[in-house]
Amino acid sequence: MLVHLPILQVIVPLIGAPVCVLLSRASLVWLFALVVSGLSFIISVLLLQQVLMSGTIIYELGGWDAPWGIEYRIDKLSGFLLLIISAISTLVLFAAQTSINKEIPAEKHTHFYILYLLSLTGMLGVVVTGDAFNVFVFLEISSLSSYALIALGRDRRALWAAYQYLILGTIGATFILIGIGLMYQMTGTLNMADLAARLPEVAQTKTVLTAFVFVITGVCLKLALFPLHLWLPNAYTYAPSIVTAFFAATATKVAFYLLIRFTYSVFGVSFSFTALPLQFLFMTLGLLGIFVASIAAIYQTNVKQIFAYSSIAQIGYMVIGFSINSVTGLTAALLHIFNHALMKGALFLALGAVVYRIGSVQISQFQGMGQQMPFTMAAILVAGLSLIGMPLTVGFVSKWYLLSALIEKGWWPVALLILIGSLLTLVYVWRIVEVAYFKPPLSTHSTVNEAPLAFLIPIWLLVIANIYFGIDTRLSIEVAHSASESLLQAQRLVVP
Amino acid sequence: MLMGLFNNWVVVVLMMIGLYIVIAHGNLIKKIVGLTIFQTSVFIFYISMAKVDGGTAPILMANVTKYANPLPHVLILTAIVVGIATTALALALTVRIKEAYSSIEEESIQEQNTKQASERDELDSRSEQY
């Protein structure tokens, strides 16, 4: 059984999705989806443990040898990502039933859980697989179900957001497909480890360079890296709250994983960072993303939109960590993936609780919420502080690592700009805090009280994780550090 | 040189036509058509990649040593399925958009969205005054 964990990680939610149809009652479907997601969480914990103890796991599908058959390959980086995705998915799903009762018509509840599990399957599959074409297939499984999930939003603008996301997402995925095709043309293989071994021979050709450009552009579209972020704000704002919480914490992380996987493992550091001025490009785009998105966030009146723009800014931090191309820099980026998932999971779930109680996330409706929903607002406050990077929260840890990586390289101006960017975060978080705590409650909200426990439990688990991993950083840093160390040391995956 | 890469030229031309339609046209159905052309160009790219000069269909036969590569064909079958799913989903979304906005023109939809947003803002400023 333990040997088959890598495939079970994907198969369990994949089989779970259609089984939902057979269950008649919506609450039963919810329980089932929760169990399925919980099972994937347990599997990912076991996998990460195994990877940390005995190194990379290689699983050959159907017993076919690697370059011919599809291989699943789990190293520290994938193990880390699997844990984040399945943990967030399970926590978010805990609040799902309560939330979608208010936001989605009853006859669509079963469909919601099916799509949710399919989306989870896709994300886990992208991370688990060691085959380039498999990445495309899983990416599309996750994307197609996410377009449908976003379209479930109550506002009609959700439909438009989903359509826009579909067009851009498909262009991104097709770019990745073209890139993979060009790589196959040059090397005759689709296995990532095999590609890494064969690409250096043909690295000087224009075809490989073209393949690289296509793959990177496609991934950046999915990642919503500035200026390819246009699909993200509306998609996150108008999707059902549960969907936003799930995607904000996981979907862009998967794309970021692909960016690291393709540049470090498949093409190799020496090729990736010399073929294109990646360092300069990503540093500039990351900084621009931080400033443009943070300033845009300040001017929004919809709190969900504020945090959607903030997500684009946070991607900027990750990309900067990536572009430094050192162990510390990569550690900072990986830490920020983990920490950002904790923050945004908590924030968007808390916003889901607000929607549940007052039906709106316009900032004007937040007046006096600090008194009426004290636990929810306190969660937004703590997660917001974490977003800014206050000491004793996780946000501080990843920013600290990012700054020390920059200072290691002597890039003071960039470090300074990042600090200024954090101040912008303070501005938009403060706007919400001010309205919620320093204004009297609206008369129309006199009956509003605290969110139900179904919300509070996952929200506060995430908030406590925000504080816990901000103080006791051993686990997250150890995994992130050793993952980035092995990525940089190996330069590319070693062929077995 | 030019003729030797004939298939690639076709692929690139189709790809650009598809992308241009997606970007330039405001009609949602036309955008989907463009997207499909764009995806189809990639299918042709994969299929022509598999061609081996002088090779036959990849069926084991006596006296034949040279076969075309079947793998890209198999890959692209999967991609075609993904493409169909995408098109179906996009069309379904367009139907819902038509119901919600009574229009499938990007311009008109954007206009209605800004209108909706500014009404929202007015509502907000009223409640803030209170």
Side-chain angles (χ1 to χ4, degrees):
Chain A
M1 195 64 176
L2 274 175
V3 191
H4 295 294
L5 281 179
I7 185 71
L8 281 174
Q9 178 82 88
V10 182
I11 285 286
V12 168
L14 184 65
I15 300 292
V19 172
C20 287
V21 185
L22 303 175
L23 301 169
S24 47
R25 281 177 46 220
S27 54
L28 216 62
V29 181
W30 168 69
L31 206 64
F32 178 73
L34 190 63
V35 169
V36 168
S37 178
L39 271 178
S40 359
F41 174 63
I42 294 168
I43 294 172
S44 69
V45 170
L46 290 174
L47 278 174
L48 185 63
Q49 227 171 18
Q50 210 175 325
V51 170
L52 288 179
M53 296 233 295
S54 51
T56 307
I57 304 171
I58 293 169
Y59 181 85
E60 282 157 354
L61 282 190
W64 293 88
D65 281 345
W68 294 280
I70 291 170
E71 136 188 282
Y72 281 3
R73 182 184 273 264
I74 300 164
D75 58 4
K76 284 171 192 152
L77 176 64
S78 358
F80 188 49
L81 260 290
L82 288 176
L83 184 73
I84 297 173
I85 296 167
S86 56
I88 294 284
S89 152
T90 311
L91 280 172
V92 167
L93 211 47
F94 193 82
Q97 198 200 12
T98 322
S99 178
I100 65 170
N101 269 340
K102 281 261 166 126
E103 294 186 37
I104 298 173
E107 72 270 15
K108 286 183 185 156
H109 283 187
T110 311
H111 300 138
F112 170 84
Y113 293 113
I114 295 171
L115 291 168
Y116 189 97
L117 286 180
L118 280 178
S119 189
L120 177 66
T121 310
M123 289 186 205
L124 293 172
V126 169
V127 178
V128 143
T129 189
D131 183 274
F133 193 80
N134 230 231
V135 165
F136 166 75
V137 176
F138 277 124
L139 198 63
E140 281 305 82
I141 292 179
S142 130
S143 299
L144 284 169
S145 38
S146 68
Y147 308 144
L149 277 174
I150 289 166
L152 282 173
R154 284 181 305 175
D155 197 308
R156 65 175 178 178
R157 280 173 286 186
L159 295 170
W160 179 236
Y163 183 89
Q164 280 182 313
Y165 184 18
L166 184 143
I167 296 285
L168 285 173
T170 307
I171 292 176
T174 312
F175 273 8
I176 296 175
L177 186 61
I178 297 169
I180 293 169
L182 289 168
M183 282 195 272
Y184 180 75
Q185 199 171 25
M186 291 312 285
T187 59
T189 179
L190 289 165
N191 183 285
M192 285 186 185
D194 213 20
L195 273 172
R198 288 174 193 225
L199 275 173
E201 288 168 37
V202 285
Q204 299 310 317
T205 55
K206 276 201 183 111
T207 317
V208 172
L209 183 64
T210 318
F212 183 64
V213 174
F214 268 118
V215 169
I216 294 295
T217 317
V219 169
C220 286
L221 249 170
K222 292 269 180 192
L223 175 65
L225 174 66
F226 178 88
L228 303 172
H229 66 278
L230 294 171
W231 57 267
L232 189 142
N234 283 335
Y236 280 14
T237 310
Y238 301 116
S241 308
I242 288 298
V243 176
T244 314
F246 181 41
F247 286 157
T250 55
T252 46
K253 314 292 178 296
V254 172
F256 192 71
Y257 162 84
L258 278 182
L259 182 66
I260 296 177
R261 184 55 85 212
F262 275 111
T263 45
Y264 281 89
S265 303
V266 175
F267 285 96
V269 190
S270 47
F271 174 84
S272 303
F273 282 86
T274 49
L276 285 182
L278 269 197
Q279 204 155 37
F280 173 74
L281 203 69
F282 278 167
M283 182 77 67
T284 321
L285 292 181
L287 280 174
L288 274 173
I290 291 174
F291 279 93
V292 174
S294 297
I295 290 169
I298 292 171
Y299 287 100
Q300 301 304 319
T301 55
N302 182 318
V303 180
K304 247 176 140 181
Q305 203 141 25
I306 293 179
F307 287 123
Y309 274 106
S310 140
S311 277
I312 300 166
Q314 301 300 317
I315 289 160
Y317 289 109
M318 292 175 212
V319 166
I320 288 175
F322 166 84
S323 73
I324 297 168
N325 190 20
S326 69
V327 174
T328 327
L330 206 55
T331 309
L334 293 181
L335 268 179
H336 206 57
I337 290 184
F338 178 72
N339 298 343
H340 183 241
L342 294 180
M343 301 171 205
K344 279 291 153 67
L347 278 172
F348 278 114
L349 268 182
L351 292 182
V354 174
V355 174
Y356 181 79
R357 280 299 184 219
I358 62 175
S360 162
V361 279
Q362 288 298 315
I363 196 159
S364 57
Q365 304 288 311
F366 273 62
Q367 283 191 41
M369 279 290 137
Q371 296 162 30
Q372 285 172 313
M373 300 177 76
F375 287 106
T376 312
M377 284 303 139
I380 292 184
L381 181 64
V382 177
L385 288 177
S386 185
L387 202 60
I388 299 165
M390 284 283 281
L392 297 186
T393 59
V394 282
F396 175 73
V397 183
S398 43
K399 284 223 173 106
W400 177 260
Y401 263 79
L402 189 57
L403 289 178
S404 48
L406 285 165
I407 289 164
E408 229 172 58
K409 289 254 176 180
W411 295 343
W412 286 94
V414 184
L416 205 67
L417 284 172
I418 283 177
L419 284 176
I420 298 171
S422 300
L423 287 180
L424 291 174
T425 317
L426 181 64
V427 176
Y428 59 76
V429 171
W430 176 251
R431 270 184 73 204
I432 301 160
V433 173
E434 190 191 6
V435 174
Y437 283 99
F438 298 105
K439 286 204 175 170
L442 290 171
S443 62
T444 44
H445 293 162
S446 53
T447 55
V448 171
N449 51 10
E450 190 48 73
L453 275 180
F455 274 109
L456 287 181
I457 293 171
I459 292 172
W460 274 90
L461 277 177
L462 284 167
V463 169
I464 290 166
N466 261 301
I467 298 168
Y468 177 78
F469 288 109
I471 298 167
D472 179 13
T473 53
R474 278 172 304 183
L475 179 74
S476 51
I477 287 185
E478 191 194 291
V479 178
H481 187 78
S482 63
S484 48
E485 218 166 34
S486 59
L487 275 174
L488 273 162
Q489 256 169 19
Q491 296 279 310
R492 63 178 80 104
L493 298 167
V494 183
V495 187
Chain B
M1 167 78 187
L2 215 63
M3 284 315 286
L5 295 173
F6 181 72
N7 281 23
N8 285 18
W9 284 111
V10 172
V11 168
V12 171
V13 168
L14 274 179
M15 199 183 280
M16 289 307 122
I17 291 174
L19 261 185
Y20 177 79
I21 297 174
V22 174
I23 297 164
H25 279 272
N27 186 300
L28 301 194
I29 298 287
K30 283 183 187 166
K31 271 181 194 289
I32 298 170
V33 172
L35 202 65
T36 313
I37 295 175
F38 175 58
Q39 286 180 313
T40 309
S41 74
V42 182
F43 304 159
I44 298 175
F45 165 63
Y46 267 76
I47 292 165
S48 51
M49 186 207 308
K51 173 72 180 162
V52 175
D53 278 337
T56 68
I59 304 165
L60 200 59
M61 278 187 298
N63 315 328
V64 179
T65 49
K66 225 173 180 186
Y67 299 105
N69 185 352
L71 185 69
H73 294 170
V74 181
L75 295 181
I76 223 58
L77 266 181
T78 316
I80 289 171
V81 174
V82 171
I84 290 170
T86 314
T87 313
L89 184 60
L91 288 171
L93 275 176
T94 314
V95 172
R96 295 269 315 273
I97 288 175
K98 168 80 177 164
E99 283 167 6
Y101 289 87
S102 359
S103 164
I104 52 165
E105 292 295 330
E106 189 177 358
E107 221 170 283
S108 153
I109 293 166
Q110 298 276 32
E111 216 169 84
Q112 292 182 50
N113 279 346
T114 18
K115 212 173 137 202
Q116 200 174 342
S118 60
E119 273 164 17
R120 183 75 249 188
D121 284 346
E122 253 170 59
L123 220 76
D124 280 352
S125 54
R126 245 178 283 157
S127 60
E128 254 165 48
Q129 273 161 15
Y130 161 83

XYZ file of all heavy atoms in Angstrom, chain A residues 26 59 100 118 124 161 175 183 192 242 267 306 314 320 359 372 383 401 410 455 485:
171
model
N -27.136 16.419 -0.374
C -26.025 17.350 -0.514
C -25.089 17.302 0.693
O -23.876 17.378 0.552
C -26.543 18.769 -0.712
N 7.906 6.559 -8.911
C 6.847 5.567 -9.064
C 6.560 5.413 -10.542
O 6.256 6.386 -11.242
C 5.584 6.036 -8.329
C 4.435 5.070 -8.402
C 4.330 4.014 -7.505
C 3.452 5.212 -9.384
C 3.288 3.127 -7.584
C 2.401 4.324 -9.465
C 2.325 3.281 -8.562
O 1.282 2.394 -8.646
N -21.731 27.534 0.903
C -22.416 27.452 -0.389
C -23.925 27.365 -0.211
O -24.667 27.652 -1.138
C -21.914 26.293 -1.280
C -22.211 24.945 -0.680
C -20.459 26.445 -1.611
C -21.937 23.822 -1.654
N -12.255 17.590 -8.700
C -11.503 17.493 -9.957
C -10.382 18.518 -9.987
O -9.266 18.229 -10.421
C -12.437 17.704 -11.147
C -13.273 16.491 -11.545
C -14.192 16.849 -12.695
C -12.376 15.325 -11.932
N -2.922 18.411 -7.664
C -2.041 17.401 -7.092
C -1.282 16.687 -8.201
O -0.088 16.400 -8.071
C -2.848 16.395 -6.275
C -3.511 16.931 -5.004
C -4.434 15.886 -4.403
C -2.475 17.345 -3.976
N -16.010 36.972 -15.775
C -14.671 36.683 -15.240
C -14.223 35.287 -15.654
O -13.070 35.085 -16.065
C -14.667 36.813 -13.723
N 0.339 27.482 -24.991
C 1.754 27.860 -25.080
C 2.641 26.780 -24.450
O 3.665 26.409 -25.010
C 1.995 29.196 -24.363
C 1.756 30.400 -25.228
C 1.198 30.272 -26.485
C 2.109 31.668 -24.793
C 0.974 31.373 -27.288
C 1.882 32.781 -25.588
C 1.319 32.635 -26.831
N 10.218 20.683 -27.363
C 11.223 19.919 -26.607
C 11.243 18.474 -27.069
O 12.303 17.860 -27.218
C 10.887 19.960 -25.110
C 11.256 21.242 -24.428
S 11.228 21.014 -22.650
C 9.545 21.369 -22.256
N 10.718 14.210 -17.574
C 11.459 15.405 -17.166
C 12.935 15.111 -16.896
O 13.810 15.872 -17.302
C 10.824 16.009 -15.928
C 9.536 16.737 -16.228
S 8.982 17.549 -14.742
C 7.416 18.193 -15.287
N -15.841 30.215 -1.135
C -15.064 29.005 -0.892
C -14.064 28.785 -2.022
O -12.902 28.444 -1.796
C -16.026 27.799 -0.788
C -16.805 27.865 0.519
C -15.292 26.487 -0.898
C -15.940 27.789 1.744
N 15.180 22.551 -17.679
C 16.151 23.252 -18.518
C 17.497 23.427 -17.811
O 18.516 23.604 -18.468
C 15.595 24.609 -18.941
C 14.546 24.513 -20.002
C 13.211 24.502 -19.676
C 14.909 24.394 -21.330
C 12.243 24.393 -20.662
C 13.946 24.294 -22.321
C 12.607 24.294 -21.984
N -9.696 43.850 -3.059
C -8.471 44.334 -2.421
C -7.487 43.181 -2.266
O -6.323 43.255 -2.658
C -8.763 44.941 -1.029
C -9.587 46.216 -1.171
C -7.464 45.211 -0.264
C -9.946 46.867 0.142
N 1.747 39.694 -3.978
C 2.485 38.643 -3.269
C 3.214 37.728 -4.244
O 4.297 37.235 -3.946
C 1.537 37.826 -2.392
C 0.804 38.634 -1.341
C 1.737 39.318 -0.374
O 2.699 38.726 0.082
N 1.476 40.578 -0.083
N 10.463 37.518 -7.144
C 11.743 38.156 -6.831
C 12.662 37.159 -6.125
O 13.839 37.035 -6.468
C 11.527 39.414 -5.961
C 10.905 40.509 -6.814
C 12.846 39.910 -5.379
C 10.534 41.747 -6.052
N -23.877 39.265 3.502
C -24.179 39.161 2.078
C -23.404 40.114 1.183
O -23.715 40.240 0.007
N -19.355 43.338 16.044
C -20.413 42.361 15.786
C -19.887 40.980 15.439
O -20.504 39.980 15.755
C -21.325 42.886 14.682
C -22.225 43.980 15.217
C -22.993 44.640 14.111
O -22.427 44.998 13.092
N -24.275 44.812 14.312
N -4.268 37.969 10.079
C -3.786 37.561 8.758
C -3.307 38.785 7.972
O -2.341 38.700 7.213
C -4.888 36.835 7.995
N 13.690 36.449 5.074
C 14.554 35.639 4.217
C 14.793 36.311 2.875
O 15.895 36.297 2.339
C 13.939 34.250 4.017
C 14.525 33.249 4.956
C 14.111 33.188 6.276
C 15.517 32.370 4.538
C 14.667 32.290 7.155
C 16.081 31.458 5.402
C 15.655 31.428 6.720
O 16.218 30.544 7.581
N 23.941 41.983 -2.225
C 24.268 43.399 -2.248
C 23.281 44.244 -3.027
O 23.609 45.330 -3.474
N -17.227 28.025 10.052
C -16.252 28.974 9.526
C -15.115 29.196 10.510
O -13.947 29.193 10.146
C -16.919 30.332 9.258
C -17.565 30.428 7.919
C -18.939 30.444 7.793
C -16.792 30.492 6.775
C -19.534 30.533 6.553
C -17.386 30.586 5.531
C -18.761 30.606 5.430
N 17.965 23.792 -1.625
C 19.362 23.367 -1.703
C 19.523 22.239 -2.716
O 20.414 22.273 -3.562
C 19.839 22.907 -0.330
C 21.252 23.311 -0.035
C 21.572 23.146 1.433
O 21.032 22.199 2.051
O 22.342 23.950 1.958
